[in-house]
Amino acid sequence: MTSRPEWLSRAVEPAYTLVLALVIVGPLLGPGYLLLRDAVSTPRSFLTDSALGLSDAAARAVPQDAAIAVLSAVVDGGLAVKTILVAALWAAGWGAARMVAALFPARGTFPRPSVGVGGRLLAATVTMWNPYVAERLLQGHWSLLTGYAALPWVVIATTRTRRGKPRGWPVLATALAAAGLTPTGAVLASLLALVLLVVPAGPVRVFGSSDYQKRAQGVRRVGIGAALAVVASAPWLVATAVSGAGAEGDTAGVAAFAARAEPWLATTGSLAGLGGIWNADAVPGSRTTPWALIATAILLAVVALGLPAVWRARRSPVVVALAVLAAAAVVVPTLAATGWGLAVGEWAVVHLPGYGLMRDAQKWVALAVPFYALSAAAGVSVLASLARRVFADDPAPTRASRAGAAVVAIGAVLLSLPDLAWGVGGALRPVHYPEAWQRVTALVEGGAGDVAVLPAGTFRRFPWSGDAPVLDPAPRWLPLDVPQTGRLIVLFGGGSTIAGEGDRSAEIERLLIGGGEPGDLTNLGVGWVLVEHDTPGTPGDGELLSALDRVHDDENLTLYRVPGTPTEYAPGTAARVAVVSAHLAWAALLAGGVLGCVAGRGRARRADQP
């Protein structure tokens, strides 16, 4: 039988994962903008102080907001967000396939399992088609998925560097910078990279080197990896340091954001099945029924098939480290949801600066996915052998039996979560903003002061935005800063209010609701007041609003200009320079990593030529 050309096998992986990514995002491929819970995209956003993290609210969306502001000056902001989302899903699946090829090559030697294209496609499917991806899409965490997508590439990069291949460093720089689009992504990828770089070399040998040289090389690897991780995290680290926001969080957020048990599954089972997000409304319909138990059993069975083969490869320090991380990624969030775990979290959110950014415990289960993908890929040969034993009385798997086993396993994973397809059952669909948003943007552009927004609250529910609550789009739409308290109202589980960090924003809100004079607003740096109609929330004081100059009014928005010259609330020059420098360093890391990958790929191709 003629062997399949290697280039054809390599082309199947990106093609398959791209198709799967497009099937997932489905409706978003049409015109319109992503606006769902925490996800906000607009035609244009601006490089405001808030976008840079220079506000009194926690730096939760840096450098994401700054990056989209820069991109939207060139291309439509909605298109930029969609492109990044599709690229993230694609990179996650393709990276999982390449990770398997790096650790378990098709012509591997015992005791490492040999995994062909079918196993690699199964690894990609497990990585892309699971409750974690579905729930993060429904929660609007599109930028977190860039960090999720970086994880298999981090494994690839660290594996290369451990083998003494310099080409691993540009890949690691690119992966860490891409993950650094959001603070959580930066922490996820950096933690994985440092663990894989720190673990002892084990059977890896450096020809002709002494033990001292090996240790020195290991220390150098860890040092370079740590430096790259710091640069990837620099935007949010520096913004948090200079603004002081997030130094102390609300303890109510710890219980509200704890991992959640799904039907017929305890918290451990939900997390092991890559589900259990805190928001019960941000889950696919199939995960709200007893099917969640069946789906979790299918996923874990696919993963468990490869455990014997992975166990035989335990001499690989990378494989062992991934297994330990996978166990910890399930066990630690489970413990964090217990009574004493919540108590520890409440202490940490008060005493550890920035810990409030980490309170969503379920998101850390992403660290289990690389091992899940690796084990599932190794299980294809096991499943093929079982099938041959049953149907042909011959345990030796053939190419055909492996292909059949891969198809069956991939089909089982896809069927375990049928409503991930086409925008998570149609929930992920584009919206169209009323024309009023463009008019208001033009009116305030170039104006003085910040824009205060009513009704009070961070989330909205417009008639044109769908049934789910959405983050107020005003901070991304408007060219001036929009002070926000960061306060979150959790509607389920008895309901709770989680305090934000914005002290000046809270004072502005109290003034707009309780009443006062226009001069009080200008003293707080407010030059405009925007009222958004047809959305729930506490309205403003009518007497105060009547004292302002109305410059726009329609069924969607009313804009007021505050008389007088607003007090300027601008960060100091040193703070601005520090934050901008951190953003530029992150951008340079991303650009340099990409250029390094391209250059390294070109050198490798030239070296392969006769």
Side-chain angles (χ1 to χ4, degrees):
M1 181 180 294
T2 304
S3 62
R4 183 190 300 109
E6 180 63 22
W7 67 267
L8 182 59
S9 297
R10 293 286 293 269
V12 167
E13 297 163 12
Y16 171 79
T17 50
L18 178 59
V19 169
L20 208 58
L22 295 177
V23 169
I24 292 173
V25 299
L28 277 182
L29 300 177
Y33 298 87
L34 175 59
L35 185 65
L36 179 66
R37 294 188 175 89
D38 292 348
V40 178
S41 67
T42 58
R44 174 74 196 276
S45 56
F46 299 86
L47 205 58
T48 61
D49 287 343
S50 296
L52 291 168
L54 287 168
S55 69
D56 55 355
R60 295 186 177 91
V62 293
Q64 166 195 318
D65 284 354
I68 296 301
V70 172
L71 288 175
S72 66
V74 182
V75 299
D76 181 83
L79 178 61
V81 168
K82 292 178 189 178
T83 301
I84 294 173
L85 176 56
V86 172
L89 293 172
W90 184 21
W94 190 15
R98 290 292 85 209
M99 175 189 69
V100 172
L103 293 175
F104 295 161
R107 294 178 179 84
T109 57
F110 187 83
R112 295 196 182 195
S114 300
V115 178
V117 64
R120 297 197 294 266
L121 294 182
L122 176 58
T125 307
V126 168
T127 301
M128 298 176 70
W129 203 275
N130 60 61
Y132 188 92
V133 171
E135 292 172 358
R136 293 300 156 178
L137 286 173
L138 290 177
Q139 187 59 36
H141 289 172
W142 64 271
S143 55
L144 174 58
L145 290 176
T146 63
Y148 176 81
L151 298 181
W153 296 102
V154 167
V155 177
I156 294 169
T158 52
T159 300
R160 287 179 178 175
T161 60
R162 291 172 64 88
R163 294 171 179 171
K165 297 180 179 179
R167 283 180 57 200
W169 292 116
V171 177
L172 184 59
T174 304
L176 289 175
L181 192 63
T182 183
T184 300
V187 175
L188 281 170
S190 298
L191 177 61
L192 177 61
L194 292 177
V195 167
L196 295 182
L197 290 172
V198 164
V199 291
V204 178
R205 296 289 183 263
V206 181
F207 181 76
S209 63
S210 66
D211 289 341
Y212 173 81
Q213 290 174 318
K214 294 176 187 178
R215 288 195 296 270
Q217 289 173 349
V219 171
R220 186 163 54 249
R221 281 199 306 267
V222 174
I224 296 173
L228 294 177
V230 169
V231 176
S233 299
W236 73 270
L237 288 175
V238 174
T240 300
V242 302
S243 69
E248 181 175 323
D250 188 352
T251 56
V254 176
F257 288 102
R260 181 186 52 82
E262 295 172 307
W264 291 25
L265 287 167
T267 304
T268 304
S270 298
L271 291 168
L274 305 182
I277 191 172
W278 62 273
N279 187 354
D281 295 329
V283 297
S286 64
R287 302 293 295 189
T288 63
T289 70
W291 178 256
L293 173 62
I294 300 172
T296 298
I298 292 173
L299 175 62
L300 294 181
V302 169
V303 172
L305 280 172
L307 289 179
V310 174
W311 173 253
R312 291 194 297 270
R314 63 187 180 276
R315 291 185 65 232
S316 167
V318 172
V319 173
V320 173
L322 291 177
V324 172
L325 275 176
V330 173
V331 172
V332 172
T334 299
L335 295 177
T338 63
W340 67 267
L342 294 175
V344 171
E346 290 171 358
W347 176 89
V349 83
V350 171
H351 295 92
L352 299 181
Y355 185 85
L357 294 171
M358 313 301 168
R359 60 193 176 187
D360 182 353
Q362 187 266 353
K363 61 191 174 187
W364 306 109
V365 81
L367 291 170
V369 176
F371 181 78
Y372 276 33
L374 199 64
S375 184
V380 168
S381 292
V382 178
L383 183 59
S385 180
L386 290 174
R388 290 277 295 172
R389 190 184 300 275
V390 171
F391 297 107
D393 197 24
D394 181 3
T398 63
R399 176 182 293 180
S401 65
R402 287 193 182 96
V407 169
V408 169
I410 289 172
V413 173
L414 295 176
L415 290 175
S416 69
L417 192 60
D419 40 0
L420 176 54
W422 208 246
V424 198
L428 202 69
R429 57 181 181 272
V431 303
H432 299 273
Y433 288 99
E435 184 67 24
W437 285 93
Q438 290 279 12
R439 298 195 191 106
V440 166
T441 298
L443 287 170
V444 302
E445 192 164 10
D450 296 340
V451 183
V453 179
L454 288 169
T458 305
F459 280 82
R460 302 288 186 251
R461 199 187 296 265
F462 301 109
W464 45 268
S465 65
D467 297 331
V470 299
L471 204 60
D472 186 1
R476 272 81 176 183
W477 250 109
L478 302 180
L480 301 178
D481 272 300
V482 178
Q484 289 194 308
T485 65
R487 187 175 65 249
L488 175 64
I489 299 176
V490 179
L491 299 177
F492 62 90
S496 62
T497 299
I498 301 169
E501 309 86 9
D503 294 335
R504 181 169 70 97
S505 303
E507 184 61 30
I508 292 171
E509 186 177 280
R510 285 192 291 270
L511 181 62
L512 289 172
I513 295 173
E517 300 296 328
D520 298 329
L521 288 173
T522 58
N523 289 337
L524 289 170
V526 177
W528 310 81
V529 176
L530 177 66
V531 179
E532 302 172 11
H533 302 309
D534 297 325
T535 180
T538 306
D541 179 72
E543 185 174 342
L544 173 59
L545 293 177
S546 65
L548 308 180
D549 300 328
R550 186 182 304 180
V551 295
H552 174 85
D553 189 20
D554 64 18
E555 69 274 13
N556 295 296
L557 300 172
T558 299
L559 178 66
Y560 299 90
R561 182 186 289 112
V562 181
T565 303
T567 301
E568 184 178 359
Y569 279 82
T573 301
R576 187 180 298 280
V577 169
V579 168
V580 170
S581 299
H583 280 74
L584 291 176
W586 168 81
L589 180 66
L590 179 61
V594 171
L595 290 175
C597 291
V598 173
R601 186 65 176 169
R603 286 193 297 268
R605 286 181 175 177
R606 288 192 298 271
D608 291 340
Q609 292 177 353

